[in-house]
Amino acid sequence: MKAVVQTGPSSLRVDTLERPQIDADQVLIRVGSTGVCGSDVHAYLYEGGYEWVELPRIMGHEYAGEIVETGSAVTDFAEGDRVVENPTRTCGTCFQCLNEQSNVCQNFSVKGMHRDGSYAEYTVANPDKLHTIPESVPMEHAAITEPLSVAARAVLSRSTVTPGDTVLVEGPGPIGALVAAIADSIGGRVLVSGLSQDEQYRLPLLEDLGIETAVSGETLDSKTQEITDGIGFDVVFDTTGHHSGVELAVEIVRKGGQIVVVGLPGSASEIPMSTIVRGEVDIKTSYGSKWANFEQALSLMSENTIRPDGIIDDRYSLSDPAAAFTAFLDSKTCKPVFTFDE
C-alpha cells in the first residue's frame, strides 16, 4: 500500500508498504479521505512538545473510510460500512476514564503519533472507536469529523454560548473556522480575528460562509466597539495556539463573560489575574472530544447545519504531501483534505 511516512523534522516520503494485518478484535479500513490537522503540522515540524513521536511514523489521524476486513470477534461492524474513527485510545482504568473524563485520560495514545496513522491506503482500528457515517455525508466531508467534534465540544459542551451572544473566535485556522461555524449556527453574533497573513485565504473563506472577520489591531478594536457597544464579548474562544491569544482574550471579553481556550500555547502566558478576578471572568479549557461530540459532528453535517465543502481544501495530493504542510504554515489553506491518487 502507499503511505506517507515522516522520517524527520519537516521530512516526508511516500513509501510502498505491506498492508497491515488485523487482530481478531480489530477492523481494516480502506482510507477514502484524510485531513491535515494543526497538531499534524506541529508534529511535522517536530517542534517542542512533539519530540516524543517516534520516527519513522505514518502520519495522520483525521479520516473517513470503508471497512474491508473484520476480525473474527467483531460483531458491531461489517465489510462495506463507512466509518470515521476517534483516533485517541484511552485506557479505561485511570481516574479520569472512570470519572467520565476520558478525553484527558492519563494513558492516552493518538493515531499517527503513538502508532501509525491514516496517511495510508489502509489503516487498522478498534471497533469501539468507530462511528458510522450517515448516508447523506460524503466521504470527503466525513474526513473532518474529528476536528468538527473538537469544535463541537468547545462550543456545545464547554461554552455558555446562547442565541444572541456576541462571540469572538481568535484564529481562523481549521478549529477556529469550525468553532465559528457552530457558534454561528446556534445564533451567536460571531466575529473571527486573524493576522495580516490570514487576509489572503482564511478570512475571506469565513466571509464566504457569512461570518464577520477582522484583523487584530485597529480593525478588531473598531469591530469590537460596533458589535459589543464597547463592553466586550460575551464569549471569546482562543484557538490560536499562541500565548498572545489568551492575553488578548482577557482584554476583549466583557466583565462576567467567558474565555474558552482551545489552542495549545507553545509558551507561558502573562495573564493579569487581577483583571480576571475583578471582572469575574470564567476561564475554561477544552481538549479533544468524546463519543457524543463525534455523533454531534456527524449530525451537524448530515443535517447541513455545517457545510464542510466551504471549509475543506482538496487541491493537494498525497503524492506531494509537503505542499499542503507548506501552504498551511503560510496561511494559504485552512483544512487540506487528501485523497489517494488512482
Side-chain angles (χ1 to χ4, degrees):
M1 69 173 184
K2 185 189 299 182
V4 176
V5 179
Q6 181 177 5
T7 58
S10 304
S11 178
L12 303 175
R13 70 171 184 246
V14 180
D15 280 351
T16 300
L17 305 173
E18 291 293 323
R19 190 165 120 169
Q21 301 297 309
I22 61 171
D23 294 332
D25 60 349
Q26 295 178 320
V27 300
L28 184 67
I29 299 169
R30 180 188 294 117
V31 177
S33 293
T34 182
V36 175
C37 172
S39 60
D40 291 328
V41 176
H42 292 305
Y44 167 73
L45 296 173
Y46 219 59
E47 60 188 22
Y50 288 84
E51 308 95 329
W52 50 266
V53 178
E54 293 185 9
L55 302 179
R57 172 75 69 206
I58 299 175
M59 297 187 72
H61 63 273
E62 303 175 358
Y63 77 100
E66 179 182 328
I67 295 176
V68 294
E69 184 182 349
T70 61
S72 59
V74 175
T75 57
D76 294 337
F77 293 91
E79 292 180 19
D81 287 348
R82 298 190 316 143
V83 295
V84 294
E85 179 190 2
N86 180 340
T88 303
R89 289 181 184 170
T90 53
C91 70
T93 58
C94 71
F95 175 86
Q96 281 71 25
C97 285
L98 296 175
N99 200 41
E100 298 183 354
Q101 297 171 310
S102 59
N103 61 306
V104 289
C105 169
Q106 293 181 34
N107 307 302
F108 73 95
S109 71
V110 180
K111 196 182 194 80
M113 295 183 186
H114 294 90
R115 60 189 186 280
D116 284 338
S118 61
Y119 291 179
E121 290 181 280
Y122 296 92
T123 190
V124 175
N126 292 342
D128 65 331
K129 292 296 182 179
L130 298 180
H131 297 256
T132 301
I133 302 170
E135 290 185 7
S136 59
V137 179
M139 188 80 77
E140 187 179 54
H141 293 184
I144 71 164
T145 302
E146 192 273 343
L148 186 56
S149 77
V150 172
R153 177 167 178 77
V155 179
L156 304 177
S157 301
R158 301 294 287 170
S159 86
T160 59
V161 174
T162 55
D165 282 351
T166 57
V167 179
L168 174 66
V169 179
E170 297 178 301
I175 297 298
L178 294 170
V179 164
I182 295 175
D184 178 69
S185 75
I186 61 176
R189 171 81 186 273
V190 181
L191 178 70
V192 177
S193 66
L195 304 175
S196 58
Q197 63 259 35
D198 297 314
E199 292 183 278
Q200 178 181 349
Y201 183 93
R202 292 178 172 178
L203 294 180
L205 180 151
L206 285 156
E207 290 165 4
D208 288 344
L209 296 176
I211 295 171
E212 294 182 78
T213 68
V215 176
S216 292
E218 291 184 8
T219 306
L220 178 56
D221 292 341
S222 63
K223 283 276 192 179
T224 301
Q225 181 67 36
E226 172 195 341
I227 292 172
T228 74
D229 292 327
I231 69 169
F233 288 90
D234 295 311
V235 181
V236 178
F237 293 92
D238 172 31
T239 71
T240 62
H242 192 272
H243 67 84
S244 60
V246 182
E247 294 162 6
L248 176 61
V250 173
E251 297 176 11
I252 212 162
V253 71
R254 69 167 173 83
K255 288 186 175 182
Q258 184 188 52
I259 297 169
V260 182
V261 183
V262 189
L264 296 171
S267 58
S269 300
E270 296 183 6
I271 303 175
M273 291 303 299
S274 59
T275 300
I276 295 169
V277 174
R278 287 180 178 142
E280 205 173 57
V281 174
D282 177 26
I283 297 184
K284 281 200 171 184
T285 57
S286 185
Y287 182 72
S289 59
K290 294 184 177 182
W291 187 91
N293 303 126
F294 270 78
E295 292 296 306
Q296 288 171 332
L298 290 166
S299 178
L300 286 166
M301 290 186 287
S302 177
E303 299 299 323
N304 286 322
T305 304
I306 300 297
R307 301 184 64 87
D309 50 359
I311 296 174
I312 62 176
D313 182 359
D314 61 0
R315 294 176 295 164
Y316 304 97
S317 168
L318 277 169
S319 62
D320 183 20
F325 285 86
T326 299
F328 191 101
L329 289 165
D330 291 339
S331 300
K332 294 179 180 178
T333 187
C334 180
K335 174 50 70 175
V337 173
F338 297 126
T339 54
F340 283 93
D341 298 330
E342 296 295 334

